[in-house]
Amino acid sequence: MKQMMATAALAFCLLPAQATEKTFQSPDGTMAVTVSDDGGRPTYQVTLNGTVYIERSPLGVKMNFGDLSQGLTLKDCKTSVFKDAYDLKTIKQSHVSYEATEAVCQFEKQGKPALDIIFRVTGRDVAYRYKIYAPKKDMMSAIVEGEASSFVLPEGTTTFLCPQVKPMGGFARTYPSYETSYTWDDQMGKNGWGQGYTFPCLFKTPAGWVIISETGTDGNYVGCALKNDGGAKYSIDFPQKEELNGFGSPTASVALPALTPWRTMTIGSTLAPIVETTIANDLVQPKYKASKAYTYGKGSWSWIIRMDNSCNYKEQKEYIDFSAAMGYRSVLVDAWWDTKIGYDRIAELSRYAQSKGVGLFLWYNSNGTWNDAPQGPRFKMDRSAARRKEMKWMQDNGILGIKVDFFGGDKQPMMQLYEDILTDANDFGLQVIFHGCTLPRGWERMYPNFVASEAVLASENLSFGQGACDAEAKNGCTHTFIRNTVASMDFGGSTLNKRYSPGNDRGTYRRTSDVYALATAVLFQSSVQHFALAPNNLDDAPAWAIDFMKQVPTTWDEVRYIDGYPGKYAIIARRAGNTWYVAGINSEKQPLKKTITLPMFAKDTQLTVYADDAQLNGSVKQVKQNKKQQLTMTIPENGGFLIVGQQ
């Protein structure tokens, strides 16, 4: 009997401690997060209106001093209401009022504070980050070796994902560059091409939609991705060790206590929360003040149609005249200008542009030692002294901004370079566009002179191969719901040439319509848009198309989701001042007929409607809004429509 009692006592001691569980909700009560320490492992679960969108998923970080994803005890989740309001011209909504439930969930290890997991929860967004404590009083720094942070999707979920590529491949060993094609409605359990997936990552659950990304990443951390080891769990993945030509660690060096970037989820029964969310900027703060009042607008660039040979004084002057004729703000002078035009003549071009009311953006190679891209200027952006000397020259010559290309991955030294370029550029009043680069993560608000990043399979590919032209509409219907929902996207599109060549008579040919080109000027969001128009379009493009491209805004006050499905069709509305622009495109073989409700237009409002016929011939007409506030539109494959009117 005594032996039986002793055995029972031993068994009782071996049982895991009862899990502590805390649940908190968004201010409107619709979104709920449950945090637990079951088995000493922190987890969370997310529901919207009682339906599970994120199953119980692991949390925690792995440090060089210990594993903070296990052996933890949840002590408490202290909740409060977090409020913020801000104005930002460079994102999809110019004024944002943000209110969230903030929960600080405190985890201990061996009786000492180890980790806070800080949540922010609204009716459409859930985000979390870690605050990492030192295990010893005198420890002031550490290495984050990885995260347990994961997202377990419900059974039956399909994926819309962009695979990561192996580093040091592609043109001049410039990979990774966030420029691969998506998969649509794919099964879970895959890991892309073996390297996971780039943010943002979209999932269609049985109940609705989830988009997962991150924000707040700067030089204090690494840029992350998602990996899948099979099944429904997608986990945070750190950079690949071969990135940056093998230089630098894929881990993050942090000062203690450390705050990590935010992991974000936007969730909805429709795509409306995903199109309309501002979460990437809601969670961050400006890192410095703007050195001047930056301005935004449209521009042109010769490279997309005329390629490298157009980088000469004569043709750049022609594009300056073209931008002036269009009422555009800028011209982007692309690669090789340092040798094909030269610094003295660029200064002369800048003076000429300014006399026409136009400014210049100049292309730069970021490269120091991380790839083989030969385009110049080189070695001007990778070191502070050379960079600041170059930027002083630009400031003295009235240059508006820079486009910096060919970065080397997401390791911490590269994230520091992004931040250093932005910080120095602000000192000299320069705006910054990045290409061949990582996804921006809240950078519009963090860095006031940041404009946009490429980080997408952009317009240059339309010139490189017919396959990209054949898939243009499918990709356009994708970016609207994935890439462009979390950050400004420098696509460089809206071509009105029929062919990608100087004479408009050879090269790859455009399958999309002129109305499609106009629609993507609204669908694709960036405060500075260098459109793929050419001087010949003043004569060979329809007058109504040129007139629209002269007046379409690049900064917006509001966005609304209307309808759509990633890769198939997209219909959204953007407002600038009192004017609404409703844009739609279709990539499906069958014409898309939709009756759309437009509550922003009162009955009898005069509307300008751009539409395609079955042969993709565009036209424009005036119609009056009916009493049901509805219009029925038919969009052929590769076509589009636009509705413009005053609210």
Side-chain angles (χ1 to χ4, degrees):
M1 184 67 176
K2 288 182 179 180
Q3 185 177 2
M4 291 177 61
M5 291 177 64
T7 303
L10 178 61
F12 179 79
C13 291
L14 293 176
L15 287 174
Q18 185 175 359
T20 300
E21 190 171 274
K22 301 285 185 181
T23 298
F24 41 90
Q25 297 178 328
S26 57
D28 65 3
T30 59
M31 193 85 76
V33 177
T34 299
V35 177
S36 175
D37 63 359
D38 192 11
R41 297 177 181 271
T43 64
Y44 74 106
Q45 182 186 62
V46 181
T47 63
L48 176 63
N49 294 319
T51 299
V52 175
Y53 279 78
I54 301 291
E55 303 279 4
R56 192 175 295 271
S57 304
L59 293 165
V61 293
K62 298 178 181 180
M63 309 296 296
N64 63 340
F65 60 74
D67 188 346
L68 300 184
S69 67
Q70 59 183 344
L72 301 182
T73 302
L74 175 60
K75 300 305 293 182
D76 196 9
C77 283
K78 297 181 177 178
T79 60
S80 60
V81 176
F82 181 90
K83 294 183 179 182
D84 192 14
Y86 60 95
D87 295 316
L88 197 56
K89 294 180 180 179
T90 54
I91 62 172
K92 64 180 79 168
Q93 185 171 320
S94 62
H95 176 77
V96 178
S97 294
Y98 177 67
E99 181 176 342
T101 298
E102 181 172 275
V104 180
C105 296
Q106 301 165 325
F107 285 85
E108 292 184 352
K109 189 163 190 172
Q110 298 176 345
K112 295 181 180 179
L115 192 70
D116 289 347
I117 306 178
I118 305 166
F119 284 86
R120 297 257 182 91
V121 185
T122 73
R124 68 184 181 194
D125 301 304
V126 176
Y128 66 85
R129 72 191 306 188
Y130 301 109
K131 184 175 184 179
I132 306 164
Y133 292 98
K136 298 185 295 184
K137 192 173 183 180
D138 58 348
M139 182 180 286
M140 301 183 70
S141 63
I143 302 296
V144 184
E145 296 180 339
E147 296 186 19
S149 312
S150 300
F151 311 84
V152 179
L153 282 303
E155 184 178 352
T157 294
T158 58
T159 70
F160 299 77
L161 302 175
C162 181
Q164 280 271 30
V165 296
K166 287 184 177 180
M168 307 308 296
F171 168 74
R173 298 195 300 160
T174 55
Y175 284 174
S177 54
Y178 283 63
E179 297 176 31
T180 53
S181 183
Y182 285 83
T183 57
W184 296 267
D185 263 326
D186 204 359
Q187 296 177 342
M188 293 192 295
K190 301 178 181 180
N191 196 39
W193 300 335
Q195 291 77 41
Y197 300 99
T198 62
F199 286 126
C201 297
L202 181 66
F203 301 87
K204 185 178 186 296
T205 75
W209 299 87
V210 179
I211 195 166
I212 297 171
S213 193
E214 66 179 0
T215 193
T217 307
D218 59 14
N220 294 312
Y221 212 70
V222 296
C224 295
L226 275 191
K227 66 178 179 179
N228 183 282
D229 295 325
K233 185 176 79 169
Y234 292 80
S235 303
I236 290 292
D237 198 19
F238 274 24
Q240 303 166 68
K241 65 180 181 179
E242 299 87 358
E243 292 179 19
L244 199 53
N245 209 5
F247 172 76
S249 170
T251 60
S253 176
V254 297
L256 296 174
L259 283 170
T260 68
W262 294 91
R263 284 54 191 95
T264 67
M265 294 154 276
T266 300
I267 298 169
S269 59
T270 72
L271 286 162
I274 288 164
V275 169
E276 297 170 12
T277 184
T278 53
I279 189 63
N281 291 288
D282 297 340
L283 298 169
V284 300
Q285 294 291 328
K287 295 177 74 72
Y288 50 75
K289 291 184 178 180
S291 63
K292 70 178 189 181
Y294 291 108
T295 58
Y296 311 96
K298 300 177 285 292
S300 65
W301 60 314
S302 65
W303 186 91
I304 184 63
I305 298 297
R306 302 187 183 183
M307 307 301 286
D308 287 343
N309 288 336
S310 68
C311 192
N312 60 72
Y313 185 91
K314 179 182 177 182
E315 290 186 71
Q316 294 310 305
K317 189 174 180 182
E318 183 183 354
Y319 268 80
I320 291 170
D321 291 340
F322 174 56
S323 277
M326 294 292 291
Y328 284 5
R329 172 178 174 264
S330 63
V331 168
L332 167 63
V333 184
D334 222 289
W336 302 109
W337 63 262
D338 57 328
T339 53
K340 294 188 175 184
I341 298 175
Y343 279 80
D344 289 343
R345 299 218 79 187
I346 282 289
E348 184 180 329
L349 267 178
S350 181
R351 290 191 294 272
Y352 177 76
Q354 291 173 71
S355 75
K356 296 281 188 173
V358 176
L360 301 184
F361 275 74
L362 299 180
W363 186 96
Y364 281 86
N365 193 331
S366 78
N367 192 25
T369 56
W370 40 86
N371 57 49
D372 304 322
Q375 289 91 336
R378 299 178 69 210
F379 304 111
K380 301 294 187 180
M381 290 292 138
D382 58 314
R383 293 290 189 274
S384 178
R387 182 168 59 238
R388 293 183 68 85
K389 180 180 179 182
E390 190 80 358
M391 289 176 174
K392 180 63 167 64
W393 171 83
M394 285 187 269
Q395 182 185 50
D396 290 344
N397 286 281
I399 304 300
L400 284 178
I402 55 177
K403 170 185 169 181
V404 189
D405 206 342
F406 299 133
F407 287 84
D410 288 339
K411 289 180 179 177
Q412 194 167 7
M414 194 92 314
M415 307 312 290
Q416 290 168 346
L417 179 62
Y418 286 114
E419 186 166 36
D420 290 346
I421 290 172
L422 286 161
T423 303
D424 283 348
N426 183 64
D427 287 346
F428 296 96
L430 299 169
Q431 292 176 294
V432 180
I433 298 169
F434 292 126
H435 266 233
C437 59
T438 194
L439 178 79
R441 296 157 166 94
W443 292 358
E444 291 95 336
R445 193 176 182 199
M446 292 164 67
Y447 307 106
N449 56 322
F450 172 77
V451 174
S453 290
E454 185 182 29
V456 73
L457 201 63
S459 63
E460 62 191 32
N461 295 280
L462 301 170
S463 182
F464 292 157
Q466 188 58 43
C469 291
D470 296 344
E472 182 182 4
K474 188 174 183 67
N475 287 322
C477 294
T478 301
H479 304 326
T480 305
F481 300 119
I482 307 179
R483 165 64 180 87
N484 213 180
T485 65
V486 299
S488 300
M489 180 179 75
D490 193 57
F491 188 85
S494 296
T495 314
L496 289 176
N497 263 29
K498 300 299 182 184
R499 306 291 292 266
Y500 283 86
S501 64
N504 203 6
D505 56 358
R506 62 187 186 278
T508 58
Y509 56 90
R510 179 164 57 94
R511 290 194 178 275
T512 55
S513 71
D514 291 339
V515 179
Y516 173 97
L518 272 53
T520 56
V522 174
L523 292 171
F524 297 167
Q525 185 268 319
S526 176
S527 59
V528 174
Q529 292 266 29
H530 287 113
F531 293 123
L533 304 179
N536 54 275
N537 296 147
L538 292 172
D539 299 317
D540 59 21
W544 50 263
I546 290 294
D547 288 344
F548 180 88
M549 294 303 296
K550 285 181 178 180
Q551 55 88 21
V552 64
T554 64
T555 56
W556 304 97
D557 295 303
E558 188 178 352
V559 60
R560 290 188 196 174
Y561 166 78
I562 305 294
D563 201 355
Y565 195 93
K568 295 183 178 181
Y569 69 101
I571 306 172
I572 70 169
R574 297 191 192 275
R575 178 177 62 83
N578 293 323
T579 304
W580 280 96
Y581 295 75
V582 184
I585 56 175
N586 175 38
S587 73
E588 296 286 270
K589 291 190 178 300
Q590 295 300 316
L592 177 73
K593 186 175 182 179
K594 283 283 179 180
T595 298
I596 54 177
T597 301
L598 302 170
M600 67 282 289
F601 301 129
K603 177 180 176 292
D604 291 331
T605 299
Q606 189 80 9
L607 303 175
T608 302
V609 178
Y610 303 78
D612 284 316
D613 64 16
Q615 288 73 45
L616 298 183
N617 298 309
S619 63
V620 58
K621 64 181 179 180
Q622 303 296 314
V623 301
K624 283 189 176 182
Q625 173 74 304
N626 63 28
K627 63 181 180 180
K628 292 184 177 180
Q629 296 178 293
Q630 292 180 332
L631 275 179
T632 298
M633 303 299 301
T634 299
I635 321 175
E637 181 187 10
N638 293 321
F641 78 82
L642 278 159
I643 303 165
V644 184
Q646 301 288 312
Q647 67 176 10

